[in-house]
Amino acid sequence: MIKHTFSTSILIFFLFVGILKSESVTLSGYVKNSESGETLIGATVSIPEIKKGTRTNVYGFYSLTIPSGKYKIRASYVGYTPFTKDIEINKDLKFDIELQSKSIQTQEVVVTAKSKDYNVASIEMSSIAVSTDIIKKMPALLGEVDVIKSIQLLPGVSTVGEGATGFNVRGGSVSQNLVILDEAPVFNSSHLFGFFSVFNPDAVKDVKLIKGGIPAIYGGRLSSILDVRLKEGNNKAFQADGGIGAIFSRLSVEGPIVKNKGSFLLAGRRSYVDILSKPFLDDDLSDAQFYFYDLTAKANYKLNDDNTLFLSGYFGRDVFGAGFEFNWGSETLTARWNHLFSNKLFSNLTYYYSNYDTKVRFGEEDTKFEFGTHIINNSLKYDLEYFINTDNTLSFGLEGIHYDFVPGDAEAISYGTATNIEIDDKYALETGLYIDYEMNMKDALKAKIGLRGSAFYFIGPGQYLEDNLPNSQIKKADKGQIISKYFNPEPRVSLQYQLNNESSLKASYNRTSQYIHLLSNTASPTPLDQFTPSSNILKPQLSDQYAIGYFKNFDDNEWETSVELYYKDMQNQIDFIDGANLQLNVEFEKDVLSGIGRAYGAEFYIKKNKGLFTGWLSYTLSKTERKIDGISQNEWYLTRFDKLHNLSLVLFYDLNEHWQLSSNFVYSSGAPVTYPTDRIQFQGIEVNYNSTKKRNEFKLSDYHRLDLSLSYTSEHDPESWINGQWVFSIYNVYNRKNAFSIYPEFVDNKPQMTRFSVLGTIVPSISYNFKIR
Amino acid sequence: MKLLKSSIYIISLIFLFACEDPVDVDLSSGKAVIVADAILTNLDTPQKITLRKSQPYLSQNEYEKIQSATITMSDSQGNDYSFTEKEEGDYYLNENLTNIQPGQTFDLSININSEIFTAKTEIYRVPKIDSITWKLVDPLFGSENKNKMWLAQFWAIDPAGVGDTYWVRRVLNGKVITDNENLGVLAFDGAPGRANDDENLELPFIEPIGQSITPGYGGGPPTADTTRLQLGDTVGVHLYSISDDFADFMTILDNEIGNKGGLFATPTANVPTNFQSDSKNIIVGWFQISNVSEDYGVISDQKFTNR
């Protein structure tokens, strides 16, 4: 089957190579920011006379095949001054375009990235790009700008609650999102359990969330893709950006390696609450450790017009300790080679490494317990984009991922006697092969048809459980032995029908598969939760998603609106038996239950792009359920992250050229929870008892919150080496105690229900950001 | 999970943004269930089984006692045992279990209004307690009282072979201390978790388990200043041999008591039971007969061990 798909793609490829031998010429090149040389993702390059155009890919490359002739070429990108030039093309031409950022000239607020009518004109649906400019303008907890918290304000995205790690997309769990940083997966995107995300906003160039109509290039997760691309660094001049905040400070430097040829970016952050609070802590807390840091780096070098190399990496850690040690962190490394085979055929070869590990220690020296886990990925990926002509684009490629899961290396030392509690590593191989073909069928109809074939091999050496019956035994697999294998074809189809210049209808279907499972039995995943491969017992997760949408813009794209409906069917969703033991347990699969899931909803989105007032309103009506034998009387139950209503209002208001006001308001239905309804007494112990025997039958009270932020940007002085910005923000303005959970307890020998609010108070903060040139 | 709680505790000390307050919640409760608390031992003390009913969580009444039940028991050696309801809902064993042997099994039958509930248990081995020691140490992390405190520890050797499971209960001044803050700790071959199955050694109970007879040690939030050991206190241990199933029961019970919401709360679970019945009435609880080793020491600054 794999072979078949591959030969089909080769065939299609050569078919189009034939088409290319016509009288047309190709204009190709990169679109960049004139000031920094940074390439622009999704910029439009068009020839208005013949109504043909294209957009730059994720590396800023475009290719436009047109009949030879004399044209006025136009390039545009929101937030930049459009570029136009008359050129005569008789033969293929390489033409790089530099666009000037408007923010240098004016303080105009720009809410959207990409081109103005992108949401209507593009075949993409269920996906949103958020520019870092916008993320930086939104009010944030303690003034710390946050990529993950920002996307939680978009339609279809929810969270279990404040301080929870990750995000939930269209009824998917946190572990069903593929979060990639320059293509390398990030297994835990949070610092401080979930209060902050690992992405340094100064290093991020582009953030794109794909909830549906997932292109075939992406695979491996069920629910969504969060594609985070790092800045390349200014290749014209050195600059530094930074900020001093309440929790951490950040600094980034970037500059040319060789002017106009190569550049680098180095960005670091460290929290310093531990240092600031030290004098105020009690003696026994003075040794307590609690901090996190991260370092993001990237370099690129253009060898010649056809070859560019990129190297990027992330390294971050959270450290806790006080008589114990508890730390976790991620490392990623991505090496890429962009190669142009021709001005129509763009290729990229990627190698990435990603590691997430945790370490735990109790006790010291001759009496201690140490425990560590890892998940390590090594991957090679080759992607090709063939810009056949303005109406046809073909993307195809392949990918191989090697997994090394280290479920637990533990050592207990008692009076100097060591006991090893070691669980074998688990190894797996995942491969993907894909083809995506986008075509303008008629003027009004566009289609994108894709197929991804994914395969997964759970391989030895290592232990595996022969079955999940109570008396099933552990077996040993030899090196290279295939314990189980899976193959899944994943069709992806998107259609767009342009009704007129300002409105379109879109539809999509996609199947996705996921071969790794997060063993998490808590309201919000903990840093200790581990991923485990699909095995002879755990089957790959599968999802089929259907979505339709209507997109309409008003007043020359000043207002964008959309309505999308989706329905999702999920298979092999896991949950856990009561009291499941998921750590350091060779037989953990005996504690895992598996079933089905479904999610459906309607998403409404209104956005204002221009003017003094800008911002958006997002409303989602949705339901997400699971049905798993052994849980909730084998009936459908709501997930902990189900939100019937979920509304966000994000507004920006320019008071004048220096002062800007922004606000977030969020409202969502209370999360479904399980309460004990009764209690029993056993050996003098009061024990909770749930007589309904159902999961998530109750709901917390509704969640709502208002945040405000006021920023002052000093006059832009081209002569000055430093430009600063003050940000005053208030989180939870009206001091609401939103419940994260409600739990039963005895207080003064009386039973009561107690509400726990993670951030149950108003949180004001001041931060200062600067730019040095 | 204790680790996560400690980390969250540190964060909450620093940020002070989290808060907890009582709220009204409508907990519509269902039909009351029967609760059988049937933990018996070989100790030469009165052995009883209590039968109660569950009650709505927020109710402040006494638990309803189940009266006039008939309880009988038999063992694998052909002996029959009987129980007498001496107080309402409390059924006392008329014989004793001081001579029980590992491998011996017992069948229990409870008859409530002609509905029969049955359960089985097996006797496991238990090692002798070698000694109890005590010493003055620095207070626990987070304690208000900065003075040194008494730390008591019991010593015992887990016999060779895998599969011994224990429940360690603290005894203070003649009273077994068991309540929501003091569940006792579980030990698997003398450690908090079962080691690799090729281990076949006699090993001492590890330190945290030995020290779990000191208040504030072996689980729970480490700030229990009020219950420090004092000079002259008689500190002791009851080491119960138990089945793995009962260990699971106690683990779920422990999770539920410690499951106080928050970011890392697990879904509420009901404790399992080893009672069986054809009745429509639901029964919860556990039947277990344990071999118990006991030992005691009086805390003194003249000597530091009870031997």
Side-chain angles (χ1 to χ4, degrees), chain A residues 622-642:
Chain A
S622 66
K623 196 169 186 184
T624 159
E625 299 167 294
R626 300 286 186 269
K627 186 174 184 293
I628 293 170
D629 278 356
I631 294 175
S632 208
Q633 309 274 59
N634 306 340
E635 290 169 16
W636 285 103
Y637 63 95
L638 295 171
T639 64
R640 182 70 168 76
F641 46 85
D642 172 82

PDB file of all heavy atoms in Angstrom, chain A residues 622-642:
ATOM      1  N   SER A 622     -20.471  23.837  21.958  1.00  0.00           N
ATOM      2  CA  SER A 622     -19.912  22.519  21.631  1.00  0.00           C
ATOM      3  C   SER A 622     -20.201  21.483  22.701  1.00  0.00           C
ATOM      4  O   SER A 622     -20.600  21.807  23.828  1.00  0.00           O
ATOM      5  CB  SER A 622     -18.400  22.630  21.444  1.00  0.00           C
ATOM      6  OG  SER A 622     -17.802  22.961  22.674  1.00  0.00           O
ATOM      7  N   LYS A 623     -19.970  20.258  22.329  1.00  0.00           N
ATOM      8  CA  LYS A 623     -20.129  19.146  23.248  1.00  0.00           C
ATOM      9  C   LYS A 623     -19.044  18.124  22.951  1.00  0.00           C
ATOM     10  O   LYS A 623     -18.760  17.856  21.775  1.00  0.00           O
ATOM     11  CB  LYS A 623     -21.509  18.523  23.052  1.00  0.00           C
ATOM     12  CG  LYS A 623     -21.934  17.631  24.192  1.00  0.00           C
ATOM     13  CD  LYS A 623     -23.394  17.273  24.069  1.00  0.00           C
ATOM     14  CE  LYS A 623     -23.852  16.494  25.289  1.00  0.00           C
ATOM     15  NZ  LYS A 623     -25.234  16.058  25.166  1.00  0.00           N
ATOM     16  N   THR A 624     -18.445  17.564  23.974  1.00  0.00           N
ATOM     17  CA  THR A 624     -17.425  16.541  23.739  1.00  0.00           C
ATOM     18  C   THR A 624     -17.571  15.433  24.768  1.00  0.00           C
ATOM     19  O   THR A 624     -17.640  15.684  25.963  1.00  0.00           O
ATOM     20  CB  THR A 624     -15.996  17.137  23.727  1.00  0.00           C
ATOM     21  OG1 THR A 624     -15.061  16.107  23.977  1.00  0.00           O
ATOM     22  CG2 THR A 624     -15.816  18.194  24.779  1.00  0.00           C
ATOM     23  N   GLU A 625     -17.678  14.209  24.259  1.00  0.00           N
ATOM     24  CA  GLU A 625     -17.992  13.063  25.113  1.00  0.00           C
ATOM     25  C   GLU A 625     -17.111  11.857  24.805  1.00  0.00           C
ATOM     26  O   GLU A 625     -16.554  11.748  23.720  1.00  0.00           O
ATOM     27  CB  GLU A 625     -19.448  12.636  24.882  1.00  0.00           C
ATOM     28  CG  GLU A 625     -20.476  13.687  25.202  1.00  0.00           C
ATOM     29  CD  GLU A 625     -21.832  13.295  24.656  1.00  0.00           C
ATOM     30  OE1 GLU A 625     -21.999  13.231  23.420  1.00  0.00           O
ATOM     31  OE2 GLU A 625     -22.721  13.019  25.470  1.00  0.00           O
ATOM     32  N   ARG A 626     -17.071  10.964  25.778  1.00  0.00           N
ATOM     33  CA  ARG A 626     -16.390   9.689  25.582  1.00  0.00           C
ATOM     34  C   ARG A 626     -17.332   8.577  26.037  1.00  0.00           C
ATOM     35  O   ARG A 626     -18.203   8.803  26.894  1.00  0.00           O
ATOM     36  CB  ARG A 626     -15.124   9.609  26.436  1.00  0.00           C
ATOM     37  CG  ARG A 626     -14.083  10.674  26.140  1.00  0.00           C
ATOM     38  CD  ARG A 626     -13.343  10.417  24.838  1.00  0.00           C
ATOM     39  NE  ARG A 626     -12.267  11.369  24.633  1.00  0.00           N
ATOM     40  CZ  ARG A 626     -12.395  12.529  23.985  1.00  0.00           C
ATOM     41  NH1 ARG A 626     -13.564  12.887  23.476  1.00  0.00           N
ATOM     42  NH2 ARG A 626     -11.367  13.338  23.847  1.00  0.00           N
ATOM     43  N   LYS A 627     -17.135   7.396  25.477  1.00  0.00           N
ATOM     44  CA  LYS A 627     -17.913   6.231  25.918  1.00  0.00           C
ATOM     45  C   LYS A 627     -16.929   5.081  26.035  1.00  0.00           C
ATOM     46  O   LYS A 627     -16.378   4.615  25.030  1.00  0.00           O
ATOM     47  CB  LYS A 627     -19.000   5.906  24.891  1.00  0.00           C
ATOM     48  CG  LYS A 627     -19.947   4.802  25.313  1.00  0.00           C
ATOM     49  CD  LYS A 627     -21.052   4.676  24.273  1.00  0.00           C
ATOM     50  CE  LYS A 627     -22.104   3.663  24.668  1.00  0.00           C
ATOM     51  NZ  LYS A 627     -21.591   2.306  24.693  1.00  0.00           N
ATOM     52  N   ILE A 628     -16.673   4.692  27.256  1.00  0.00           N
ATOM     53  CA  ILE A 628     -15.632   3.703  27.505  1.00  0.00           C
ATOM     54  C   ILE A 628     -16.163   2.665  28.487  1.00  0.00           C
ATOM     55  O   ILE A 628     -16.669   3.021  29.558  1.00  0.00           O
ATOM     56  CB  ILE A 628     -14.366   4.416  28.065  1.00  0.00           C
ATOM     57  CG1 ILE A 628     -13.765   5.313  26.969  1.00  0.00           C
ATOM     58  CG2 ILE A 628     -13.343   3.393  28.553  1.00  0.00           C
ATOM     59  CD1 ILE A 628     -12.683   6.230  27.416  1.00  0.00           C
ATOM     60  N   ASP A 629     -16.079   1.411  28.088  1.00  0.00           N
ATOM     61  CA  ASP A 629     -16.567   0.354  28.973  1.00  0.00           C
ATOM     62  C   ASP A 629     -15.770   0.359  30.269  1.00  0.00           C
ATOM     63  O   ASP A 629     -14.549   0.356  30.246  1.00  0.00           O
ATOM     64  CB  ASP A 629     -16.438  -1.012  28.286  1.00  0.00           C
ATOM     65  CG  ASP A 629     -17.607  -1.254  27.344  1.00  0.00           C
ATOM     66  OD1 ASP A 629     -18.515  -0.394  27.304  1.00  0.00           O
ATOM     67  OD2 ASP A 629     -17.601  -2.282  26.643  1.00  0.00           O
ATOM     68  N   GLY A 630     -16.488   0.357  31.384  1.00  0.00           N
ATOM     69  CA  GLY A 630     -15.815   0.361  32.681  1.00  0.00           C
ATOM     70  C   GLY A 630     -15.865   1.723  33.344  1.00  0.00           C
ATOM     71  O   GLY A 630     -15.453   1.873  34.483  1.00  0.00           O
ATOM     72  N   ILE A 631     -16.352   2.738  32.591  1.00  0.00           N
ATOM     73  CA  ILE A 631     -16.434   4.082  33.174  1.00  0.00           C
ATOM     74  C   ILE A 631     -17.856   4.595  33.040  1.00  0.00           C
ATOM     75  O   ILE A 631     -18.494   4.414  31.989  1.00  0.00           O
ATOM     76  CB  ILE A 631     -15.438   5.036  32.478  1.00  0.00           C
ATOM     77  CG1 ILE A 631     -14.007   4.570  32.783  1.00  0.00           C
ATOM     78  CG2 ILE A 631     -15.629   6.480  32.946  1.00  0.00           C
ATOM     79  CD1 ILE A 631     -12.951   5.336  32.084  1.00  0.00           C
ATOM     80  N   SER A 632     -18.345   5.234  34.100  1.00  0.00           N
ATOM     81  CA  SER A 632     -19.660   5.875  34.070  1.00  0.00           C
ATOM     82  C   SER A 632     -20.752   4.928  33.579  1.00  0.00           C
ATOM     83  O   SER A 632     -21.553   5.283  32.728  1.00  0.00           O
ATOM     84  CB  SER A 632     -19.585   7.139  33.187  1.00  0.00           C
ATOM     85  OG  SER A 632     -20.535   8.074  33.597  1.00  0.00           O
ATOM     86  N   GLN A 633     -20.774   3.729  34.112  1.00  0.00           N
ATOM     87  CA  GLN A 633     -21.800   2.722  33.783  1.00  0.00           C
ATOM     88  C   GLN A 633     -21.854   2.428  32.290  1.00  0.00           C
ATOM     89  O   GLN A 633     -22.919   2.160  31.746  1.00  0.00           O
ATOM     90  CB  GLN A 633     -23.189   3.214  34.242  1.00  0.00           C
ATOM     91  CG  GLN A 633     -23.248   3.679  35.681  1.00  0.00           C
ATOM     92  CD  GLN A 633     -23.505   2.551  36.638  1.00  0.00           C
ATOM     93  OE1 GLN A 633     -22.719   1.596  36.692  1.00  0.00           O
ATOM     94  NE2 GLN A 633     -24.567   2.627  37.390  1.00  0.00           N
ATOM     95  N   ASN A 634     -20.721   2.533  31.610  1.00  0.00           N
ATOM     96  CA  ASN A 634     -20.600   2.260  30.180  1.00  0.00           C
ATOM     97  C   ASN A 634     -21.440   3.188  29.309  1.00  0.00           C
ATOM     98  O   ASN A 634     -21.755   2.874  28.167  1.00  0.00           O
ATOM     99  CB  ASN A 634     -20.958   0.805  29.852  1.00  0.00           C
ATOM    100  CG  ASN A 634     -20.162  -0.172  30.681  1.00  0.00           C
ATOM    101  OD1 ASN A 634     -19.105   0.183  31.219  1.00  0.00           O
ATOM    102  ND2 ASN A 634     -20.650  -1.381  30.795  1.00  0.00           N
ATOM    103  N   GLU A 635     -21.810   4.343  29.856  1.00  0.00           N
ATOM    104  CA  GLU A 635     -22.612   5.285  29.077  1.00  0.00           C
ATOM    105  C   GLU A 635     -21.737   6.458  28.630  1.00  0.00           C
ATOM    106  O   GLU A 635     -20.635   6.650  29.123  1.00  0.00           O
ATOM    107  CB  GLU A 635     -23.777   5.812  29.934  1.00  0.00           C
ATOM    108  CG  GLU A 635     -24.823   4.745  30.215  1.00  0.00           C
ATOM    109  CD  GLU A 635     -25.822   5.178  31.281  1.00  0.00           C
ATOM    110  OE1 GLU A 635     -25.884   6.390  31.561  1.00  0.00           O
ATOM    111  OE2 GLU A 635     -26.517   4.303  31.808  1.00  0.00           O
ATOM    112  N   TRP A 636     -22.265   7.279  27.692  1.00  0.00           N
ATOM    113  CA  TRP A 636     -21.553   8.483  27.261  1.00  0.00           C
ATOM    114  C   TRP A 636     -21.358   9.419  28.453  1.00  0.00           C
ATOM    115  O   TRP A 636     -22.290   9.610  29.229  1.00  0.00           O
ATOM    116  CB  TRP A 636     -22.340   9.216  26.180  1.00  0.00           C
ATOM    117  CG  TRP A 636     -22.307   8.576  24.825  1.00  0.00           C
ATOM    118  CD1 TRP A 636     -23.301   7.840  24.254  1.00  0.00           C
ATOM    119  CD2 TRP A 636     -21.243   8.620  23.874  1.00  0.00           C
ATOM    120  NE1 TRP A 636     -22.914   7.415  22.994  1.00  0.00           N
ATOM    121  CE2 TRP A 636     -21.652   7.881  22.734  1.00  0.00           C
ATOM    122  CE3 TRP A 636     -19.972   9.212  23.865  1.00  0.00           C
ATOM    123  CZ2 TRP A 636     -20.850   7.715  21.614  1.00  0.00           C
ATOM    124  CZ3 TRP A 636     -19.169   9.051  22.738  1.00  0.00           C
ATOM    125  CH2 TRP A 636     -19.602   8.307  21.621  1.00  0.00           C
ATOM    126  N   TYR A 637     -20.187   9.971  28.588  1.00  0.00           N
ATOM    127  CA  TYR A 637     -19.977  10.994  29.624  1.00  0.00           C
ATOM    128  C   TYR A 637     -19.184  12.159  29.048  1.00  0.00           C
ATOM    129  O   TYR A 637     -18.416  12.002  28.100  1.00  0.00           O
ATOM    130  CB  TYR A 637     -19.266  10.406  30.848  1.00  0.00           C
ATOM    131  CG  TYR A 637     -17.863   9.880  30.592  1.00  0.00           C
ATOM    132  CD1 TYR A 637     -16.744  10.685  30.824  1.00  0.00           C
ATOM    133  CD2 TYR A 637     -17.655   8.583  30.131  1.00  0.00           C
ATOM    134  CE1 TYR A 637     -15.467  10.206  30.592  1.00  0.00           C
ATOM    135  CE2 TYR A 637     -16.380   8.106  29.891  1.00  0.00           C
ATOM    136  CZ  TYR A 637     -15.286   8.914  30.127  1.00  0.00           C
ATOM    137  OH  TYR A 637     -14.021   8.441  29.892  1.00  0.00           O
ATOM    138  N   LEU A 638     -19.427  13.336  29.622  1.00  0.00           N
ATOM    139  CA  LEU A 638     -18.728  14.540  29.166  1.00  0.00           C
ATOM    140  C   LEU A 638     -17.281  14.496  29.630  1.00  0.00           C
ATOM    141  O   LEU A 638     -16.984  13.987  30.711  1.00  0.00           O
ATOM    142  CB  LEU A 638     -19.396  15.789  29.759  1.00  0.00           C
ATOM    143  CG  LEU A 638     -20.837  16.056  29.300  1.00  0.00           C
ATOM    144  CD1 LEU A 638     -21.431  17.180  30.124  1.00  0.00           C
ATOM    145  CD2 LEU A 638     -20.877  16.400  27.827  1.00  0.00           C
ATOM    146  N   THR A 639     -16.376  15.048  28.835  1.00  0.00           N
ATOM    147  CA  THR A 639     -14.987  15.108  29.277  1.00  0.00           C
ATOM    148  C   THR A 639     -14.821  16.278  30.245  1.00  0.00           C
ATOM    149  O   THR A 639     -15.663  17.165  30.317  1.00  0.00           O
ATOM    150  CB  THR A 639     -14.035  15.336  28.097  1.00  0.00           C
ATOM    151  OG1 THR A 639     -14.341  16.615  27.540  1.00  0.00           O
ATOM    152  CG2 THR A 639     -14.192  14.272  27.034  1.00  0.00           C
ATOM    153  N   ARG A 640     -13.720  16.259  30.963  1.00  0.00           N
ATOM    154  CA  ARG A 640     -13.441  17.316  31.937  1.00  0.00           C
ATOM    155  C   ARG A 640     -13.259  18.670  31.240  1.00  0.00           C
ATOM    156  O   ARG A 640     -13.422  19.722  31.842  1.00  0.00           O
ATOM    157  CB  ARG A 640     -12.174  16.929  32.728  1.00  0.00           C
ATOM    158  CG  ARG A 640     -11.739  17.878  33.832  1.00  0.00           C
ATOM    159  CD  ARG A 640     -12.697  17.856  34.996  1.00  0.00           C
ATOM    160  NE  ARG A 640     -12.180  18.527  36.202  1.00  0.00           N
ATOM    161  CZ  ARG A 640     -12.110  19.837  36.367  1.00  0.00           C
ATOM    162  NH1 ARG A 640     -12.507  20.656  35.421  1.00  0.00           N
ATOM    163  NH2 ARG A 640     -11.641  20.346  37.495  1.00  0.00           N
ATOM    164  N   PHE A 641     -12.929  18.656  29.930  1.00  0.00           N
ATOM    165  CA  PHE A 641     -12.700  19.919  29.225  1.00  0.00           C
ATOM    166  C   PHE A 641     -13.867  20.306  28.323  1.00  0.00           C
ATOM    167  O   PHE A 641     -13.754  21.194  27.486  1.00  0.00           O
ATOM    168  CB  PHE A 641     -11.383  19.877  28.426  1.00  0.00           C
ATOM    169  CG  PHE A 641     -11.189  18.618  27.618  1.00  0.00           C
ATOM    170  CD1 PHE A 641     -11.724  18.492  26.355  1.00  0.00           C
ATOM    171  CD2 PHE A 641     -10.477  17.562  28.146  1.00  0.00           C
ATOM    172  CE1 PHE A 641     -11.547  17.334  25.620  1.00  0.00           C
ATOM    173  CE2 PHE A 641     -10.295  16.391  27.419  1.00  0.00           C
ATOM    174  CZ  PHE A 641     -10.831  16.279  26.151  1.00  0.00           C
ATOM    175  N   ASP A 642     -15.000  19.647  28.487  1.00  0.00           N
ATOM    176  CA  ASP A 642     -16.187  20.035  27.732  1.00  0.00           C
ATOM    177  C   ASP A 642     -16.630  21.426  28.174  1.00  0.00           C
ATOM    178  O   ASP A 642     -16.693  21.715  29.365  1.00  0.00           O
ATOM    179  CB  ASP A 642     -17.309  19.023  28.005  1.00  0.00           C
ATOM    180  CG  ASP A 642     -18.626  19.457  27.409  1.00  0.00           C
ATOM    181  OD1 ASP A 642     -18.821  19.233  26.215  1.00  0.00           O
ATOM    182  OD2 ASP A 642     -19.457  20.033  28.143  1.00  0.00           O
TER     183      ASP A 642
END
